[in-house]
Amino acid sequence: MRKNIVAGNWKMNLEFTEAEELTAGVAEQLEGQALNCEVVICPPALYLEMATDFAEESVLKVGAQNVSNHDSGAYTGEIAAGMLASVDVKYCIVGHSERRKYFHEDNALLAQKVDKLLDYGRTPIYCCGEVLEEREKENHFKVVEQQIAEGLFHLNEDEFSNVVIAYEPVWAIGTGLTASPVQAQGMHAFIRGLIAKKYSKEVAEETTLLYGGSCNANNAKELFSQRDVDGGLIGGASLKAGEFVSIVKSF
Ligand code: PGA
């Protein structure tokens, strides 16, 4: 079901006490507020249970940053979807550009990770987005289409309705170079069109599409006001409770 979501991707940041303070800070600042979006934090795996404990008492939802494509077994260092489910982690980022780049994750592997999450009733936040060179060569629509087709379009309509997509142009991540609202809207409308073509217009209208890439308290309102932008996946600006909550309140 389409809904507004603001999700914080903490990446590999913060030690335990800092993570606990940030979680508590966000939860406290959101308490009693009328919100127009779902709020998700995605801390490092080690802190997920701490975060889900807080989430029980607040409006916060918790997401992981990665998941294995296997169910269980001899995969040292990996974390399975069933494990995420067992500590009440609701969401999981899949295919972030940093995982694609540094850990060589390709669309075929990401499709398997999406399947595992859906098997265990978790919501994948599937990331897509072009690098600068691809945009300069005007290949960005083609690149995003391929990422989505190969990572998600094996799903049937029911399965697909449980997926969130995040468009994150790689040139905008951590660089301070945000996509303009027009650029973000253009890509989001294109993605919705792909979904309509593959499934139906109804399914496309019901899909949640997030924007990510240098989204902050100053630019969130304009980005989120675009017709096809249903919220954000926030990196750097999710590491300060005050700024993250300002972004949440942009809705
Ligand atoms: P950023 O990161 O907000 O720091 O650009 C976004 C992301 O990588 O999800």
Side-chain angles (χ1 to χ4, degrees):
M1 193 191 60
R2 184 168 174 181
K3 58 180 152 188
N4 297 330
I5 298 176
V6 173
N9 173 12
W10 295 5
K11 309 192 180 184
M12 196 176 73
N13 291 297
L14 308 178
E15 296 193 351
F16 183 76
T17 315
E18 297 166 321
E20 207 174 27
E21 278 169 14
L22 177 56
T23 309
V26 172
E28 268 165 36
Q29 291 186 38
L30 292 178
E31 205 178 312
Q33 305 275 339
L35 298 175
N36 292 319
C37 64
E38 188 154 300
V39 185
V40 183
I41 55 169
C42 303
L46 187 60
Y47 309 148
L48 286 170
E49 205 194 345
M50 173 279 290
T52 54
D53 280 349
F54 269 99
E56 264 178 38
E57 312 285 320
S58 79
V59 295
L60 282 180
K61 300 274 188 293
V62 178
Q65 298 175 14
N66 184 29
V67 69
S68 172
N69 59 323
H70 299 286
D71 280 310
S72 66
Y75 300 102
T76 302
E78 290 290 274
I79 293 176
M83 298 174 184
L84 297 179
S86 73
V87 292
D88 251 351
V89 170
K90 190 167 185 297
Y91 290 91
C92 182
I93 299 169
V94 177
H96 189 280
S97 60
E98 289 148 17
R99 300 241 26 120
R100 290 176 185 267
K101 181 174 175 192
Y102 302 127
F103 303 95
H104 314 295
E105 296 192 355
D106 61 16
N107 296 328
L109 174 76
L110 300 174
Q112 294 175 12
K113 293 186 176 205
V114 166
D115 289 344
K116 289 296 166 209
L117 290 166
L118 295 175
D119 282 350
Y120 287 90
R122 308 300 100 186
T123 302
I125 301 176
Y126 183 82
C127 299
C128 56
E130 79 285 358
V131 299
L132 186 59
E133 200 190 342
E134 290 161 341
R135 180 162 280 264
E136 283 172 349
K137 288 191 176 147
E138 298 192 359
N139 271 338
H140 45 297
F141 289 116
K142 222 168 106 199
V143 167
V144 167
E145 178 168 3
Q146 190 172 4
Q147 289 169 334
I148 291 181
E150 293 181 2
L152 295 177
F153 281 175
H154 62 290
L155 301 173
N156 66 33
E157 190 172 312
D158 268 1
E159 292 163 339
F160 185 83
S161 67
N162 293 310
V163 171
V164 169
I165 295 175
Y167 168 57
E168 301 204 300
V170 181
W171 48 269
I173 295 177
T175 57
L177 285 175
T178 322
S180 68
V182 171
Q183 287 172 322
Q185 168 57 27
M187 183 58 84
H188 283 224
F190 173 75
I191 294 171
R192 227 180 270 291
L194 293 176
I195 301 166
K197 204 154 74 181
K198 168 73 187 172
Y199 298 100
S200 69
K201 203 162 183 312
E202 291 69 36
V203 173
E205 280 304 316
E206 281 302 304
T207 305
T208 302
L209 303 181
L210 309 182
Y211 168 80
S214 297
C215 184
N216 58 41
N218 295 324
N219 57 30
K221 204 176 181 70
E222 210 187 341
L223 285 161
F224 296 171
S225 67
Q226 303 301 308
R227 192 201 168 284
D228 289 300
V229 178
D230 305 313
L233 182 55
I234 320 296
S238 70
L239 294 171
K240 292 201 178 101
E243 172 140 29
F244 184 61
V245 170
S246 303
I247 297 171
V248 167
K249 288 186 181 163
S250 303
F251 270 116

